[in-house]
Amino acid sequence: EVIPLKFSNAYNFSEGMAAVLGDNNYGYINKAGKLIIPTKYETALYFKDGLAIVSINNKYGVVSKTGREIVPLIYDEVKEFNEGLAAVKLNNKWGFVDKTGKEVIPTKFDYIEDFHGPVAAVSIDGIWWYIGKNGIEFKD
């Protein structure tokens, strides 16, 4: 037995951390079985680039491997980071945050796509255009 059987469920390790279910909530253990991030989250996804999406009370955010909440748990939805930014949804509008948790593109779009290189497609009222990582809009 490498890790004691004290959790009701455990998921695969990613980047040396695994989500575990204990006390009806999720947290994370390291490969030695030590609980690094307390079991307080309703949702706990896998780590990618040192960050994982978590939720409490149906509000989503992102934690680091130390348990520090990088993106505050205020969003209705958070997508994985892509090109250094993560799409976030708040009050039915989408925007983007960076890896420090700063909202770099306001949550004002009806629909968005992930960044591919320097631009992402965004839409308001059915009209689509592109936006750069710096928030500059390209509407041609």
Side-chain angles (χ1 to χ4, degrees):
E1 183 176 284
V2 177
I3 298 171
L5 301 172
K6 61 182 178 181
F7 301 105
S8 51
N9 201 355
Y11 293 91
N12 291 337
F13 280 93
S14 66
E15 298 187 5
M17 303 283 280
V20 292
L21 180 61
D23 301 326
N24 296 317
N25 288 306
Y26 291 93
Y28 293 90
I29 60 171
N30 64 14
K31 286 194 173 185
K34 180 179 179 188
L35 188 64
I36 303 298
I37 299 173
T39 53
K40 66 178 187 176
Y41 298 104
E42 292 169 356
T43 304
L45 301 182
Y46 61 91
F47 275 89
K48 181 180 176 187
D49 297 328
L51 302 172
I53 297 169
V54 294
S55 74
I56 295 177
N57 296 325
N58 293 319
K59 293 296 182 180
Y60 292 81
V62 176
V63 294
S64 71
K65 287 184 177 182
T66 63
R68 188 169 75 100
E69 292 177 0
I70 304 296
V71 175
L73 281 81
I74 60 170
Y75 295 101
D76 302 322
E77 194 172 337
V78 175
K79 292 185 177 184
E80 284 186 10
F81 280 90
N82 183 25
E83 302 277 343
L85 298 176
V88 292
K89 185 178 187 182
L90 183 62
N91 299 323
N92 219 26
K93 298 291 181 182
W94 288 94
F96 290 92
V97 295
D98 66 14
K99 288 187 175 183
T100 69
K102 179 182 177 192
E103 196 171 286
V104 293
I105 296 174
T107 51
K108 66 179 185 176
F109 301 102
D110 296 333
Y111 300 100
I112 55 148
E113 293 182 1
D114 286 336
F115 274 89
H116 296 284
V119 296
V122 296
S123 171
I124 296 177
D125 296 330
I127 300 169
W128 286 87
W129 67 93
Y130 292 97
I131 191 166
K133 291 180 183 180
N134 55 5
I136 294 175
E137 299 180 2
F138 305 95
K139 292 187 177 184
D140 251 356

